[in-house]
Each structure stands twice: as C-alpha cells, then as structure tokens.
Amino acid sequence: MQFSDRLQEKNSHCATVTDIQTVSILGATGSIGTNTLDLIARSADRFQIESLTAYKNVSQLAKLAKVHNAKFAVIGDETKYKELKSYLAGTSIEIGSGETGLIEAGARQADCTIASIIGSAGLRPSIEAVRQGHRVALANKECLVAAGDVFMSEVSLANAELLPLDSEHAAIHQVLCRGMLDEVKQIIITASGGPFRNWTAKQITAATPEQALRHPNWSMGAKISIDSSTLMNKGLELIEAHHLFAIEPERLKVIIHPQSVVHCLISYYDGSVIAQMANPDMRTPIAYCLAWPGRMASPTEPLDLIKLQSLTFEAPDTERFPALDLAISALIKGGSAPNIMNAANECAVAAFLAHEISFTDITRIVEKCLEKADQQNLLQPVGTIDEVLALDHEARQLVGRLIDQN
Ligand code: NDP
Ligand code: MG
C-alpha cells in the first residue's frame, strides 16, 4: 500500500480504535521490547499480548510472558527450550524455539506486531508478520537496509500496514500526514552526534566500548548505541527512510542536533519547514505505532522549551565519522551494497564490543568488506529473502577474515 493510501485509511479508521488490540513483540526482552511492554502495562485494558520472543534471555522472557499473560513465548536459542519449558510449567502459555519458533511468532494473528529483533536475524520473522497483512511497527531498521526492495514488495503484496517505530521515521510519518511527497523539497533527519561529538580524531581512535555505549540522550541496546557513536546509525536511517517513504537519496539529509528534541524537519517547496518534536523517549514513537491511527498517553516527560532554552544544529563531521558517507555511497550504489554494508557493520560492531578491534577499525573494516565484495561482483541486486540472507552470510565470512588479518 502506498504511503498516501495509508493516510486516507487513517482518516476513515479514526473513529474505530476502542477495541482490544492483540500485539506480538519480536525481541520482547530488548530495549524497544521492554519499553513497549511498559506502555502496554499502563493501558492493559486496551491490549492483549499474543507472542513474545527473545534470543538467549530465557528467564526474562518467561517472566514477561507470565506477567503480561502472553499466549505464545519463543526462545530463539534452541538449546534453551527445556529451560523455557520448565520456567513456564503449569501455565497455559505455548512454547516455541529456534528460527521456526520465531517465524511462527511473526505469523501469529495479531492486530499489531512490533518488529524489534536486532539485526538481519529479524528479517524472516518480520517478513512473516508482514505476510499476515496486518500492522507491523518496524524498529528493526536492518531489515530495510538489508532487503529494502524485497521487504517493501512483500508489504505491498500482503497489503500490510508498515508503521515506522524508529523515532525519526515516526516523526516523518507524522509530518507527512499534512502534505504530499511531491511537495517535499527535503527530509532532514536529526542525529545527536553521539558521545564523541566533541572528541578530537586522536581521542576517537582510542575510544573504548564502555565509552561508546554511553549515549548522551537515549537509552538503547548495545548495537544501536555503537552505531550512534560511529554515525552509522544515521546512515542506516537514511536507507530506511528511502525505502519507507519511497524518496530519492538526493532529497534526504542529516543534521546534528545534540539535544535530540527535534526528530525530523521537512521542507516544502513553498518555503515552509515542519518539524516534529518530543523529549527523547522511545515510548513516544512506540505509543504512536500502538495507537495508530489514534493517540494514547505515554509517560514521556512533557517538552519544556523554556527550560531547554536553546536548540542547536550543526553539520555532521564526516572526517571524524566516515560511516555516514559510507552508508550514503552504499545507498546511491544500491543493489546489494546496503545489505553487505549492514552485515559487515553488525560483525564489526560485535568485534569492537568484544575488544577485538578498535573504534576506528569498525568503519574501516566495513569499507574494506564493501571493496572486496565489489571485486567479487557481490553488489548486484537480488530478488528473494534467501538470496539476501546468502549474501549476508557471505559478507560475514569476508569480515571474519578481515578481522583475523587486522
Ligand atoms: P536490544 O539489543 O536491546 O534487543 C534486541 C532483542 O532482539 C532482544 O529481545 C534479543 O533477545 C533479541 N535478539 C537478539 N539477537 C537475536 C537473534 N539472533 N535472533 C532472535 N532474536 C534476537 O536491541 P534494541 O531494542 O535496542 O533494538 C532493537 C531494534 O530496534 C534494532 O534494529 C534497533 O536498530 C532498533 N531501534 C532501537 C531503538 C532503541 O531505542 N533501542 C531506537 C530505534 C530503533 P535477548 O534479550 O534474549 O538477547
Ligand atoms: Mg532513530
């Protein structure tokens, strides 16, 4: 379904959102998953949990499934199936495990599925949710980076309603409700600049995982926190916006906004610029997705501009943070370049978190992997999820060798 068609549907549905909604959360134990459950617990009369999934955190999954009265709980790591079974003994909660279980959780009938598994591991379960033709609130941006065209054609085929949960994209979605895409001159996505915004290039070279994890404004999972510190997160978000809103790379731009209060600015041909603002708390965009096409209360602290006093903006420094330009080149190159870049980045971030490579090695290794993949003619477009995942696997092998040689 096109974005403009979805907006028309919003208006026709507005009066009918008082029924209890069923919700599945893929990645329930993560930062987005727990924020979603926090909102749902505050409006328990409006929501009922269908499926919850995790990867290894079996005790937390079992606890969440019991507390939120889920119908189906899935642990991605098959070796933990028995443990989950014993935690949930005596309850009526159905249990699943492994990739099959995760895919089944995506396939379960739910009014809204929150796709918040991290990385391309979320691709198959998220696609399965899309195939059911209901609403999918997508946090898992790596799905769109790895498989944008394939993913979006599945959305159209199933006539599913894809809502962006990423804060900047939820902001764009809200602003675009008042205008047509062909009237838009530019979509500007903001970035906080991360914890190293004011560090010198020399200091950045010695940055540790612990320092990189300390995001100034947002509390998030480890991988996205590292992506925010390299600015790769903004690169992934440009690719995400390109697919979500069918907008060309030339009309997308990133600016640094250290307070993380303005999440997007959309400029129109008549000179108007419309921005969306909120304090940095993921419960605002999650609430937007859960209550769509209406609104629901969220505990996000109200925005107090007088207290804030000033909002500042600056250009990104792509010399100290080369990942942004790397992602823009992959977006422009198209084909499988974003997929290879995403897989390489996931591996390089994991290696940095494990203290195997330095901070600046992350982007250097991703760039090297893209060069190698190009030499091996791996950047051509592909047409199926199996092909996307085969290339993802290939890129991980390439990066593994690059890390060993590092
Ligand atoms: P977390 O690392 O906090 O949580 C990830 C979730 O995915 C956990 O439930 C984890 O289970 C599960 N998981 C991890 N690996 C696998 C796997 N191989 N197979 C199945 N499940 C797996 O991540 P975040 O919540 O921070 O981010 C989730 C997604 O949302 C990412 O794509 C991120 O870019 C996006 N996003 C996040 C934001 C945030 O504020 N956190 C903001 C905007 C977007 P377990 O706990 O058992 O490991
Ligand atoms: Mg974001």
Side-chain angles (χ1 to χ4, degrees), residues 104-296:
E104 193 189 333
R108 287 275 175 129
Q109 287 300 315
D111 297 316
C112 177
T113 299
I114 307 287
S116 58
I117 290 176
I118 187 92
S120 57
L123 192 49
R124 281 196 205 279
S126 304
I127 287 267
E128 211 48 50
V130 162
R131 286 180 180 154
Q132 306 315 307
H134 299 299
R135 186 192 315 159
V136 175
L138 189 72
N140 184 194
K141 64 191 86 180
E142 293 89 352
C143 281
L144 281 181
V145 176
D149 291 335
V150 183
F151 196 94
M152 292 311 288
S153 67
E154 292 275 359
V155 172
S156 296
L157 208 66
N159 202 18
E161 185 169 47
L162 186 66
L163 286 183
L165 197 152
D166 210 345
S167 53
E168 300 77 2
H169 304 73
I172 295 168
H173 194 270
Q174 293 179 59
V175 174
L176 286 181
C177 286
R178 278 290 298 117
M180 303 302 290
L181 205 54
D182 58 9
E183 298 164 349
V184 168
K185 198 169 170 196
Q186 198 165 49
I187 294 185
I188 300 169
I189 294 177
T190 57
S192 69
F196 306 140
R197 184 173 62 90
N198 292 322
W199 285 33
T200 63
K202 195 169 170 220
Q203 286 173 314
I204 288 173
T205 315
T208 65
E210 294 69 28
Q211 290 166 326
L213 286 169
R214 244 174 267 138
H215 195 281
N217 305 335
W218 298 95
S219 158
M220 309 182 286
K223 193 262 180 182
I224 183 174
S225 298
I226 302 301
D227 285 347
S228 300
S229 69
T230 59
L231 284 201
M232 175 56 91
N233 184 48
K234 264 334 110 172
L236 300 179
E237 289 185 355
L238 286 181
I239 302 173
E240 184 185 10
H242 162 70
H243 289 293
L244 280 171
F245 304 109
I247 187 158
E248 321 82 74
E250 299 73 38
R251 284 199 284 166
L252 291 167
K253 189 180 168 183
V254 169
I255 57 172
I256 304 296
H257 165 49
Q259 296 81 21
S260 298
V261 163
V262 177
H263 303 289
C264 82
L265 300 110
I266 301 195
S267 61
Y268 291 88
Y269 277 108
D270 62 3
S272 296
V273 179
I274 307 182
Q276 189 267 357
M277 294 194 270
N279 270 322
D281 183 328
M282 283 310 291
R283 290 175 297 184
T284 293
I286 297 170
Y288 178 69
C289 290
L290 282 175
W292 169 266
R295 296 268 179 186
M296 66 185 275

Side-chain angles (χ1 to χ4, degrees), residues 17-158:
V17 282
T18 46
D19 297 342
I20 289 187
Q21 280 196 71
T22 50
V23 178
S24 286
I25 307 175
L26 310 176
T29 47
S31 162
I32 294 292
T34 45
N35 272 316
T36 306
L37 286 167
D38 174 67
L39 278 173
I40 285 178
R42 291 165 192 266
S43 296
D45 54 332
R46 280 183 70 167
F47 302 101
Q48 190 179 311
I49 298 292
E50 180 63 37
S51 319
L52 295 180
T53 81
Y55 184 47
K56 285 188 182 292
N57 197 344
V58 66
S59 59
Q60 183 64 6
L61 173 67
K63 187 174 154 207
L64 294 174
K66 280 187 195 164
V67 168
H68 295 277
N69 206 12
K71 295 207 173 124
F72 186 41
V74 177
I75 189 78
D77 180 348
E78 274 172 351
T79 65
K80 299 194 179 282
Y81 175 78
K82 277 196 183 145
E83 217 178 316
L84 182 61
K85 208 170 164 187
S86 83
Y87 275 122
L88 295 180
T91 72
S92 59
I93 302 167
E94 292 171 69
I95 298 166
S97 71
E99 191 174 52
T100 324
L102 293 171
I103 290 172
E104 193 189 333
R108 287 275 175 129
Q109 287 300 315
D111 297 316
C112 177
T113 299
I114 307 287
S116 58
I117 290 176
I118 187 92
S120 57
L123 192 49
R124 281 196 205 279
S126 304
I127 287 267
E128 211 48 50
V130 162
R131 286 180 180 154
Q132 306 315 307
H134 299 299
R135 186 192 315 159
V136 175
L138 189 72
N140 184 194
K141 64 191 86 180
E142 293 89 352
C143 281
L144 281 181
V145 176
D149 291 335
V150 183
F151 196 94
M152 292 311 288
S153 67
E154 292 275 359
V155 172
S156 296
L157 208 66

